[in-house]
Amino acid sequence: EVHLVESGGGLVQAGGSLRLSCAFSGFTFDEYDIGWFRQAPGKEREGLSCISTSDGNRYYVESVKGRFTISRDNAKNTVYLQMSSLKPEDTAVYYCAARSTCTYLYLHTDYEFPYWGQGTQVTVSS
């Protein structure tokens, strides 16, 4: 059974940093790619970044490019999202999700991801 568990959220001041973790189980690293999404109150879920767990290709949406970095640790079955220069508008629940292949286009089609974690809250104060 596929499981994804996010952690690392919390409260941070504007300009600060956080590292989110997505620990997964139930599949091997080369079976699924991992994406990060977020959903702010009253807004639609937004794709942020994804990483190919087979070849390490990374994709970012423009709003986080240069501030967020996605990475993986094969030995720990974990994907990370390092977030820096955080802004109040980054406040949201952050989710990781898995699908067979992720490219930039799939960041705009969250319904294509069959497996999701429960989310972790990130709050950025001004």
Side-chain angles (χ1 to χ4, degrees), residues 2 6 17 34 36 39 50 54-55 63 65 69-70 99:
V2 173
E6 304 93 339
S17 299
I34 303 293
W36 281 98
Q39 187 165 23
C50 66
S54 58
D55 60 19
S63 61
K65 196 175 293 184
T69 301
I70 193 170
R99 75 176 309 277

Side-chain angles (χ1 to χ4, degrees), residues 22-34 51-56 71-80 99-100:
C22 173
F24 62 86
S25 62
F27 59 93
T28 58
F29 234 109
D30 58 355
E31 289 184 283
Y32 290 103
D33 291 353
I34 303 293
I51 186 167
S52 166
T53 51
S54 58
D55 60 19
S71 62
R72 63 182 183 179
D73 185 329
N74 293 7
K76 296 183 178 179
N77 279 3
T78 300
V79 173
Y80 302 99
R99 75 176 309 277
S100 56

